[in-house]
Amino acid sequence: MILTALLLELRSLTRSPFRLIVLLLVIGAGLFVIYEGQRDVQRWEEAIANGQAEQDQALQDVRGYFASGDLGPSDRPWIQMTSPRWQDWYAATRISRAPAPLAGIAFASAESGAVSVRVNRFADPLLAAGMNIENPVLAAAGGLDLVAVLSLLLPLLILALGVEVGGFERYSGLLPLVRVQSGRDHTWLWARCLAVGFIAAAVGLFLVLSAAFGAGADLVSAIPLLALVFIYIALWTALLAVVSVISRHPSHGAVSLGAAWIVFCFLIPAIGVERSAALSSNDFALDLTVDARDAGHDHADADLQELYAIVFKRFPELRNTAPYSLERGRREVNEALRIVHLEERMEGRAKVAKKHSELVTAVSMASPTVAFSRALEEIAGRSPEAAEGFRKAVVDAAASRAERYIRTTWLSTKLGLEDFEELHASTPQFVEPPQPSWLNEFADLVGWTLIFLVLAVLLAKWSPRRS
Amino acid sequence: MIWTLFSNEWRATLRDGRGILVLAVGTVLAIASTWTTSSTLERERIAQEEATFAAREAWDARALDNPHARAHYGDYVFRPPGPLAELDPGVQSETGRVVYTEAHRQNSAVHKPQQESASLLRYDRLEPATVLQLLAPLVMVLAGFGVVSSERESGRLRLLWIQGVRPLPLLLAKSLALWSLGALVCLIVVAVHLAFSGPVEAGRTAVFIGLHLLVIWVVAVLVTCVSAQSRRPGTAAALLLSLWVIGAIVFPRVAAMSAHAIDPLPGRDAFQAAMQEDREQGMDGHNPRDTRRQAFERQVLEEYGVETPAELPINLGGLVMQADEEYGSQVWDKHFGELTEHLVRQSTFAGYFSLLNPLQAIDRASMAVAGTDLHSHLEFLRQVEDYRRVLVKRLNDEHAFGGSRTGQPARVASREFYESFQAFDFEPLSLRSLLGKSKIALFALLIWGLGSVGYLFFAARRMNRGGLL
């Protein structure tokens, strides 16, 4: 029966211009955004390469200074490469965020953290901007990437293909005929729903494989994406089954499926965005701006011993190299305190991020579409958590730089080229994308699918009695 | 006759459970969205004032210092919400909220707090503008897809013809009934806004209502006419829902994507590098060995007729810093100017989609009226940059002409001098100016308004000829 239904659906597909247009629209939009996603990853890689080139130039300059014996640029005689402060400045290493294999699928993600940051002891990644300059009016329209195509347009394809399932049979009087011929009227409806699901799954498979091959990703990286796409299609197919059981007229199907799409893809996410706006309504980043700027100036009247205690608590190894005169080390203490404040700000921001993350989790549970798109962003390495991980790596590197700078300054070490090379090598150049955590969202989608399946079966059992 | 048909339509809507449900959902959403957005904006307004106050306090509380050191200390500017942001926050969630104004550089707006829930930001926000521009049309589609096609299917249409009802009055009455449903949602939104908001700009609010009532009329006519031209309610429902999805979800994204693909903005690194390259062609005020600085110093010495900087009656350092600043300003004007033009060009390109989609036309016009569109944001950045330049110039002038001499220890300016600086105050663009910058959207709305009337006549004539009876 499934084969008969599949052939029927394929025949209706080729005969209906409306359905064909929707199918071609989904495939065309999918291929277009896959191409645009690849271009975006290319820009990402270029941004990293440009940063690397700039860094290599700075390294060459310093090697040249040591080779010539000038120890600094000729027009700035006060710059001496033997001093820790200038070594730190010139050995500023770029830390870059390596794109995940499938980064292109979520290039329209609103997460726009920096992809490459210059690290020295002054680095502050909290306000670092992303690689792209955004046009706010285009960003406000919402992005169109493969995540959007899969999460918003695939359900629409199922809606377009299956809008008349059940309603048409009942309205035209076909269902009693099916019952007489096969004895099981709902089996025919299930078969039609499955056929629609198969067609949508074929489209999903084609788009996922195109994205994976286009990005040069291996099949293993594409498996989570494929699993998510299939379960998402199964969910909408199960919803179609529910609607097919209750529809008495084709218009009921259109309205019910349309309403479900609007609730899951538009209304619940919109409520989530509104809640997110409320969460951030009073956040004008005073901690990252005014407070951060003034933190460095607040220590002038503070007890120096207390300041040293704070520094030693954070950097215990510096205790062994502290100068005899506390006053002599004041400048370096301020450097260390800058890092302490930066880490505090980072911690404060992590708390804010946690609140937002909890909100997104709650909305994901209420809307399978949000759960699905969130999981895809995870796989693409474009989630806020990935950006936060990168910022943390930058702060850790800056802290390590600061500690090294303070130690060598307090030891009054005159540094050479080997120290410079070692300093540069000690900072990681790449931060790999975190392991994507999509299993929770996958479980949400499985849960929703089961709910709809059980509902469809219960309604089907109840429906003959009602009729 | 129109009034009878109109009241009949309303009676039918109220009698039908689906009509009541749709109306109830529309009303609840209108009230909820307006209330939540108003309270969110109120909190944002208070937080913005507090942040501005905190920045001012930090400026005043800072130990007295050299004016140029104070220029490096700088000031923070916090963007206020637009004049009618309670109804349409527009692009403000996509723009940074804070701009750092300091010596030697023009900074961009930073800090988008909603970034932390980025997984949600690919979706629309449930704000009053969304309710009016997307949900009200949807309510009308759901309530009205069968407004004529159901009558045809049930045979009531033939009965109406026999009773002497003509197609045009019938379609007009049904369109008006649907329009009044949308208009009701619009009025609820505005009433709740008036109840929860502080002082209201009557002009902006009136234009906001007028434009939305116009687009609701366009939607009402489209729904009625599509229903009239569909043989079955199912077909009308599928077609209208598809049109809604395309207009509300697909087209705006396609427009944005196309503008981005056809005329992409430069990458941030490339933009900064180009600016840096030009900047390095000018004077480096902080490098005494810079040849351009030395040439400038010679020029000043000549002007004052002295041989050495120490003989100058003023502090040369302040003049050098200001000259550095003025060169920098030319560079910023060139690069940020090109960037601004590029942003406007992209926006204009995307704006042409308004001619194809009334929902995009109203979106743009509404943001303009609310003072939350791209032009308002660019105006904010322009005023901040003007503020920065005036601030830095005053500080450099004080450095140069405030009484110290070249080579002397940096002179500390008085507390009165620093306290005389006024905090940044944003003057939003006038409604007239904003509407002038949104000509495409307004023109598109006009075309859609006239086109809807034409479509009404066209659909009625087809029915007159017996088509689709």
Side-chain angles (χ1 to χ4, degrees):
Chain A
M1 193 174 267
I2 291 177
L3 189 66
T4 317
L6 186 61
L7 289 172
L8 173 82
E9 292 306 328
L10 285 173
R11 228 182 353 256
S12 343
L13 178 66
T14 50
R15 282 178 189 167
S16 158
F18 169 67
R19 288 172 182 179
L20 263 181
I21 287 171
V22 175
L23 180 73
L24 293 176
L25 188 86
V26 173
I27 294 176
L31 292 175
F32 174 63
V33 295
I34 287 169
Y35 169 70
E36 280 298 319
Q38 285 167 8
R39 277 182 51 184
D40 184 74
V41 174
Q42 215 174 346
R43 281 194 292 272
W44 184 332
E45 284 164 348
E46 275 169 18
I48 293 175
N50 291 341
Q52 292 287 338
E54 186 192 304
Q55 174 187 305
D56 290 345
Q57 183 58 50
L59 294 176
Q60 286 305 321
D61 288 349
V62 174
R63 285 170 192 144
Y65 299 149
F66 275 108
S68 67
D70 288 343
L71 298 177
S74 54
D75 63 337
R76 289 173 171 79
W78 59 89
I79 297 177
Q80 290 292 302
M81 284 303 144
T82 50
S83 96
R85 86 185 266 227
W86 292 114
Q87 282 220 344
D88 176 58
W89 183 257
Y90 273 79
T93 308
R94 281 271 177 173
I95 296 193
S96 301
R97 211 172 133 186
L102 289 169
I105 64 167
F107 73 92
S109 161
E111 189 284 299
S112 60
V115 299
S116 184
V117 172
R118 195 164 173 260
V119 175
N120 52 26
R121 64 187 195 281
F122 301 108
D124 180 351
L126 287 171
L127 286 174
M131 64 169 181
N132 293 322
I133 298 174
E134 279 180 352
N135 188 333
V137 80
L138 303 188
L144 187 67
D145 51 12
L146 193 60
V147 173
V149 169
L150 294 173
S151 60
L152 301 178
L153 298 191
L154 265 189
L156 280 181
L157 178 66
I158 293 175
L159 193 153
L161 298 179
V163 72
E164 291 192 336
V165 178
F168 172 74
E169 278 85 351
R170 285 194 188 84
Y171 183 68
S172 61
L174 263 176
L175 211 54
L177 212 63
V178 173
R179 196 179 303 148
V180 169
Q181 285 185 342
S182 69
R184 294 168 300 172
D185 49 356
H186 283 114
T187 312
W188 169 246
L189 297 185
W190 301 151
R192 279 198 72 189
C193 292
L194 268 178
V196 169
F198 279 143
I199 296 173
V203 174
L205 179 68
F206 171 69
L207 291 178
V208 168
L209 291 180
S210 304
F213 289 130
D218 52 24
L219 267 181
V220 177
S221 336
I223 285 172
L225 177 60
L226 214 48
L228 283 160
V229 169
F230 283 157
I231 190 67
Y232 190 61
I233 289 170
L235 184 154
W236 281 94
T237 309
L239 183 60
L240 176 65
V242 173
V243 172
S244 73
V245 176
I246 56 174
S247 289
R248 303 264 161 260
H249 190 276
S251 69
H252 292 172
V255 172
S256 309
L257 284 171
W261 187 92
I262 285 153
V263 168
F264 288 138
C265 302
F266 180 78
L267 206 53
I268 296 175
I271 292 169
V273 183
E274 186 59 43
R275 181 74 197 121
S276 149
L279 266 184
S280 49
S281 62
N282 53 4
D283 182 4
F284 276 83
L286 275 175
D287 55 336
L288 308 182
T289 54
V290 177
D291 296 348
R293 178 190 59 180
D294 291 348
H297 302 279
D298 286 345
H299 312 308
D301 303 325
D303 178 10
L304 204 48
Q305 263 182 335
E306 279 177 21
L307 298 182
Y308 268 96
I310 298 170
V311 172
F312 293 150
K313 193 176 168 202
R314 169 62 184 87
F315 300 105
E317 290 186 8
L318 286 180
R319 203 183 290 273
N320 308 323
T321 54
Y324 290 115
S325 153
L326 293 184
E327 195 54 45
R328 258 193 68 199
R330 180 183 279 278
R331 186 173 172 164
E332 288 71 37
V333 163
N334 282 338
E335 297 278 1
L337 288 172
R338 184 183 22 242
I339 296 293
V340 172
H341 292 312
L342 176 61
E343 287 173 340
E344 281 170 3
R345 291 201 294 278
M346 191 72 192
E347 215 171 291
R349 282 287 139 185
K351 282 182 192 154
V352 175
K354 192 163 174 252
K355 276 189 198 165
H356 281 272
S357 174
E358 284 166 2
L359 169 70
V360 180
T361 304
V363 180
S364 297
M365 288 175 82
S367 160
T369 302
V370 175
F372 179 63
S373 59
R374 189 189 196 191
L376 296 194
E377 286 186 349
E378 278 280 347
I379 288 173
R382 303 254 196 179
S383 62
E385 289 77 15
E388 197 185 334
F390 176 66
R391 284 194 292 268
K392 180 145 190 343
V394 174
V395 171
D396 289 347
S400 162
R401 282 293 190 97
E403 186 177 12
R404 195 185 180 98
Y405 159 75
I406 294 167
R407 192 175 61 242
T408 45
T409 304
W410 280 351
L411 291 172
S412 305
T413 318
K414 203 161 189 182
L415 303 173
L417 182 59
E418 305 76 41
D419 300 296
F420 178 79
E421 299 288 5
E422 198 189 318
L423 173 66
H424 172 250
S426 68
T427 307
Q429 296 197 19
F430 278 99
V431 176
E432 291 301 323
Q435 201 60 29
S437 62
W438 50 276
L439 286 175
N440 285 344
E441 284 75 22
F442 186 78
D444 282 347
L445 295 176
V446 171
W448 275 103
T449 310
L450 290 176
I451 289 172
F452 287 137
L453 280 177
V454 170
L455 192 63
V457 172
L458 288 179
L459 284 172
K461 282 193 175 170
W462 179 60
S463 133
R465 268 179 262 154
R466 190 177 55 168
S467 58
Chain B
M1 184 193 282
I2 290 178
W3 174 247
T4 313
L5 289 165
F6 174 83
S7 48
N8 269 341
E9 197 56 42
W10 258 103
R11 246 195 309 277
T13 304
L14 294 176
R15 213 179 286 145
D16 181 6
R18 199 179 55 198
I20 292 278
L21 183 72
V22 161
L23 196 57
V25 169
T27 308
V28 168
L29 286 175
I31 294 172
S33 70
T34 315
W35 176 62
T36 54
T37 310
S38 291
S39 48
T40 298
L41 258 291
E42 186 54 28
R43 279 200 298 277
E44 191 178 320
R45 212 156 251 147
I46 292 169
Q48 189 268 345
E49 282 167 12
E50 284 174 355
T52 304
F53 181 71
R56 188 63 7 202
E57 260 197 338
W59 173 274
D60 290 340
R62 184 166 159 77
L64 297 179
D65 49 11
N66 166 309
H68 192 67
R70 185 60 74 98
H72 276 282
Y73 178 78
D75 191 17
Y76 284 99
V77 168
F78 302 92
R79 189 210 61 212
L84 216 59
E86 286 92 344
L87 289 177
D88 191 344
V91 303
Q92 293 200 324
S93 61
E94 304 295 337
T95 57
R97 282 181 173 180
V98 190
V99 186
Y100 184 34
T101 56
E102 59 175 331
H104 306 302
R105 59 189 304 159
Q106 176 173 349
N107 292 309
S108 305
V110 292
H111 189 58
K112 291 192 268 177
Q114 276 186 267
Q115 282 276 300
E116 302 295 353
S117 41
S119 308
L120 289 174
L121 295 189
R122 56 172 65 244
Y123 302 98
D124 284 300
R125 179 178 167 180
L126 188 67
E127 61 208 18
T130 311
V131 171
L132 293 180
Q133 293 159 20
L134 303 182
L135 290 180
L138 183 64
V139 163
M140 291 159 71
V141 165
L142 292 177
F145 70 87
V147 76
V148 181
S149 53
S150 295
E151 306 248 18
R152 175 179 295 115
E153 199 178 45
S154 64
R156 279 200 301 272
L157 203 56
R158 283 182 188 280
L159 213 61
L160 286 171
W161 281 182
I162 292 163
Q163 287 178 335
V165 174
R166 300 317 310 151
L168 187 60
L170 177 79
L171 294 186
L172 188 61
K174 286 186 180 282
S175 299
L176 278 172
L178 261 185
W179 175 79
S180 60
L181 186 73
L184 194 65
V185 176
C186 182
L187 294 178
I188 290 169
V189 164
V190 175
V192 179
H193 165 64
L194 293 175
F196 285 104
S197 301
V200 172
E201 280 195 46
R204 280 184 198 267
T205 312
V207 176
F208 183 87
I209 299 172
L211 290 174
H212 281 87
L213 289 180
L214 172 63
V215 93
I216 285 170
W217 165 253
V218 172
V219 175
V221 171
L222 273 176
V223 171
T224 308
C225 293
V226 168
S227 179
Q229 295 196 291
S230 302
R231 288 187 188 277
R232 290 185 298 169
T235 314
L239 190 60
L240 285 167
L241 280 173
S242 305
L243 283 177
W244 182 85
V245 168
I246 289 170
I249 311 288
V250 180
F251 251 46
R253 285 169 170 78
V254 169
M257 192 69 240
S258 311
H260 180 68
I262 290 170
D263 189 11
L265 287 168
R268 195 176 298 278
D269 281 350
F271 177 70
Q272 294 289 356
M275 214 152 56
Q276 185 64 26
E277 198 182 325
D278 278 357
R279 187 67 188 79
E280 281 168 6
Q281 305 303 313
M283 179 194 295
D284 179 356
H286 282 288
N287 181 3
R289 297 200 169 197
D290 181 66
T291 49
R292 291 174 205 86
R293 176 179 164 151
Q294 287 168 347
F296 176 76
E297 284 179 3
R298 279 196 298 277
Q299 186 191 326
V300 174
L301 293 179
E302 271 174 34
E303 274 173 25
Y304 278 87
V306 294
E307 292 295 317
T308 63
E311 294 170 55
L312 284 168
I314 51 131
N315 193 323
L316 182 60
L319 292 186
V320 168
M321 291 305 162
Q322 188 52 32
D324 174 305
E325 200 64 50
E326 278 162 16
Y327 179 78
S329 296
Q330 287 176 33
V331 175
W332 316 140
D333 283 345
K334 179 187 163 198
H335 290 275
F336 278 100
E338 283 170 2
L339 180 64
T340 300
E341 277 175 22
H342 203 149
L343 291 170
V344 172
R345 207 164 58 234
Q346 275 193 333
S347 169
T348 307
F349 176 84
Y352 285 121
F353 279 74
S354 304
L355 296 167
L356 304 172
N357 180 10
L359 301 185
Q360 271 170 281
I362 186 64
D363 178 38
R364 290 176 156 259
S366 161
M367 287 193 288
V369 173
T372 55
D373 64 346
L374 177 69
H375 293 291
S376 293
H377 175 63
L378 294 174
E379 175 64 14
F380 168 71
L381 294 179
R382 191 192 65 73
Q383 289 186 26
V384 172
E385 178 56 11
D386 284 352
Y387 169 77
R388 185 190 76 83
R389 290 182 189 183
V390 170
L391 178 99
V392 174
K393 182 165 174 19
R394 265 193 79 188
L395 290 165
N396 284 338
D397 285 352
E398 178 68 11
H399 189 185
F401 308 111
S404 69
R405 292 257 187 130
T406 315
Q408 286 180 348
R411 180 181 165 275
V412 171
S414 69
R415 186 163 298 281
E416 290 71 37
F417 171 70
Y418 287 125
E419 283 178 355
S420 69
F421 283 82
Q422 296 292 310
F424 172 77
D425 191 21
F426 177 52
E427 184 63 43
L429 283 172
S430 68
L431 179 61
R432 179 189 288 258
S433 162
L434 282 167
L435 290 178
K437 289 173 192 287
S438 306
K439 285 190 194 102
I440 299 173
L442 294 175
F443 177 69
L445 282 175
L446 181 70
I447 294 289
W448 276 102
L450 293 174
S452 64
V453 176
Y455 187 29
L456 199 67
F457 277 96
F458 171 77
R461 183 185 283 188
R462 281 207 64 184
M463 288 179 99
N464 253 337
R465 285 180 184 161
L468 292 168
L469 268 176

